[in-house]
Amino acid sequence: MDATSDTALHGRFLRGVQLAPRNDAVRVGADAIRYEEAHERALEWAGALSGAVAGPPGAVAVLAAKGVRAYVGVLAALYAGATVVPLQPGFPVARTRRMMRAAGVSAVVVDEAGWAQLPELLAPDPDGGPAFTAEGPGAGLPVLAPGCPAGTLPGVVRIEPRPAGALAAPRPVRPDDAAYMLFTSGSTGRPKGVPISHGSAAHYFRLQDERYDFTPDDVFSQTFDLNFDCAMFDLFCAWGSGATALWVPPGAYRELPAFLAEHRMTVWFSTPSAIGLVRRLGGLAPGALPGLRWSFFAGEALTCRDAADWQAAAPGSTLENLYGPTELTITIAAHRWDPERSERIAVNGVVPIGRINGGHEHLLLDEDGKPAEREGELCVSGPQRTAGYLDPGDDAGRFLDHDGRVWYRTGDRVRRIGGDASDASDGELAYLGRLDAQVQVAGWRVELPEVDHALRGCEGVTEAVTVDVATEAGTELAVFYTGSAVPLSVFARRLRPVLPQGMTPRHFWRLEEFPLNSNRKTDRGALRARARELLSESPGPRTADVRATGTTGSRTTSTPTT
């Protein structure tokens, strides 16, 4: 097969080379690299990777922070015909070691941060397990470490790229070959590997090409780490159109309008949590982001309020809410925001996730696992579905054989919107929350997103997250919110008309901002842990100012009357 075919994921970069060879493919701060230069460097690195292992590299890890080397490393692994395994140097070493073992990594591309981690990574596990090796006991791990300190490390075979060893062209791949592998959190605490094939990626990006009008003049934000699948949207939509992917440093959020204007950014993509951050920092004034043509949000529920505020700040931008688990190749559904229609069809104040991507089928399952007509767990079958987890033992419960097809069970509850073909909303889906976001409290079945929605209607509340906490008295609901301090009596008056008594939270804590995880989503796990800590200190109902971590501040105690 021709490596430049539409099936190969890296074929999109080759298309960018043809469209705009002298455009910057990536910019990270003051560091940048043009398409033509990145192509030549990736061929050179791919040759070094190929020459360092027996046979074609099976999986190549890129253990590097965001930087030109990380992006070229991804491209070089693809050019070598390998499966890219993006890893985060900031993750615990034991977790990274498990992921490398599971993926069968045969070589690693590192920057300084990754290089510094190698000695601990290659040491024996503290629990007594063997050190990581690529070829078995005693073998060294081939490591490509451009720009890192001279010398080598125990257990490392350092490989050096040379122009004479460069590949003449990217190696051919088959549609079923894995292009990249990402790891998601498993219920057992062991990361689950998700291989995504070149064929699945090709289907996905063909749909994006049909839906959007990206050009070489566009500048895409890069807010996601490379081990988060949404980063693949940024990179390969940009690269397939000859556009530039621009890293957005954390400090940019302080003056986001100025940052976007300075860099002439036209395409924004982030989690919805970024909207609240920009709002708090004063960057969401009407018309503050005039240069954006497209705005995308994914990774967590997008509220109508957030969408409306961002649209007002970026009036020339088309805004879309994207939805999809890693197992379905980046995103599997999209809803285009319409201020007149979207709020009308929203459920719990959350923007719909829209229609499922073309070429796929979907079904809903009720609580008994039987097909449902209107509401239930979303299951999807089609070309973007992964063939299964890296460890087949992880497949149980996540894949369903039904009606002659294999379906991926998302674990998300959705509701069909619209009743017939004459309804413009027909075929769209509303997101109701995770199945595990449904909890039992004093016999009540409670949907946490419904409580969040009710709380966002309280005067003074900007954002709200409800968590369930196990106590000696049973499961209780606790709320963290941002905004101004709100007395319990105000919460009680607001919630009494909309929530049954059994669904009314008993604890309310105000934060300056929500904690975010490494993918910049609201870290609900951290909030749940903080709630447990606070309740252990003082179990009575209360409203209080607290920090995400640390001690409670001033507190007023009262019991809401419902």
Side-chain angles (χ1 to χ4, degrees), residues 58-83:
V60 170
V62 178
L63 182 62
K66 277 186 181 175
V68 166
R69 280 173 290 181
Y71 294 108
V72 176
V74 167
L75 191 61
L78 289 172
Y79 278 13
T83 301

Side-chain angles (χ1 to χ4, degrees), residues 120-389:
E120 187 178 358
L121 185 65
L122 300 179
D125 282 339
D127 60 8
F132 176 85
T133 58
E135 300 287 342
L141 175 67
V143 174
L144 181 63
C148 292
T152 188
L153 296 170
V156 167
V157 176
R158 188 160 182 173
I159 53 179
E160 299 291 344
R162 293 182 175 84
L167 297 183
R171 292 186 180 277
V173 293
R174 297 169 300 181
D176 290 341
D177 289 341
Y180 63 88
M181 184 181 302
L182 302 177
F183 285 83
T184 65
S185 297
S187 58
T188 63
R190 177 176 55 83
K192 297 190 296 185
V194 184
I196 299 298
S197 71
H198 285 274
S200 292
H203 180 93
Y204 177 78
F205 285 108
R206 277 198 298 270
L207 294 179
Q208 310 319 302
D209 288 343
E210 293 169 3
R211 188 174 180 91
Y212 308 120
D213 63 347
F214 304 138
T215 76
D217 294 327
D218 281 314
V219 177
F220 284 67
S221 68
Q222 249 281 276
T223 68
F224 301 103
D225 289 333
L226 291 175
N227 60 325
F228 189 7
D229 57 352
C230 288
M232 300 300 161
F233 176 99
D234 298 333
L235 284 185
F236 290 99
C237 280
W239 287 351
S241 58
T244 299
L246 174 69
W247 175 59
V248 180
Y253 291 91
R254 297 190 187 95
E255 296 288 346
L256 192 66
F259 179 85
L260 267 57
E262 177 186 355
H263 296 282
R264 299 181 180 179
M265 187 172 291
T266 58
V267 182
W268 176 268
F269 191 15
S270 72
T271 62
S273 291
I275 301 176
L277 175 61
V278 177
R279 181 192 291 117
R280 289 193 297 274
L281 295 173
L284 276 194
L289 310 173
L292 292 180
R293 298 197 313 115
W294 292 96
S295 297
F296 302 104
F297 297 95
E300 54 191 355
L302 173 66
T303 66
C304 291
R305 184 208 174 191
D306 280 350
D309 284 356
W310 186 275
Q311 184 71 86
S317 169
T318 300
L319 187 153
E320 290 199 342
N321 184 34
L322 307 183
Y323 161 85
T326 299
E327 292 84 351
L328 294 174
T329 309
I330 310 176
T331 60
I332 195 65
H335 171 84
R336 187 162 293 180
W337 172 257
D338 180 329
E340 295 183 1
R341 185 174 69 91
S342 299
E343 291 198 59
R344 175 172 53 83
I345 64 176
V347 177
N348 293 332
V350 172
V351 179
I353 61 174
R355 292 181 175 84
I356 298 297
N357 286 356
H360 296 80
E361 299 290 336
H362 73 278
L363 63 85
L364 309 184
L365 296 181
D366 63 19
E367 294 178 356
D368 297 323
K370 297 179 181 178
E373 182 61 32
R374 181 164 176 77
E375 184 176 312
E377 180 186 7
L378 175 63
C379 304
V380 178
S381 181
Q384 287 180 218
R385 177 186 60 79
T386 183
Y389 292 109

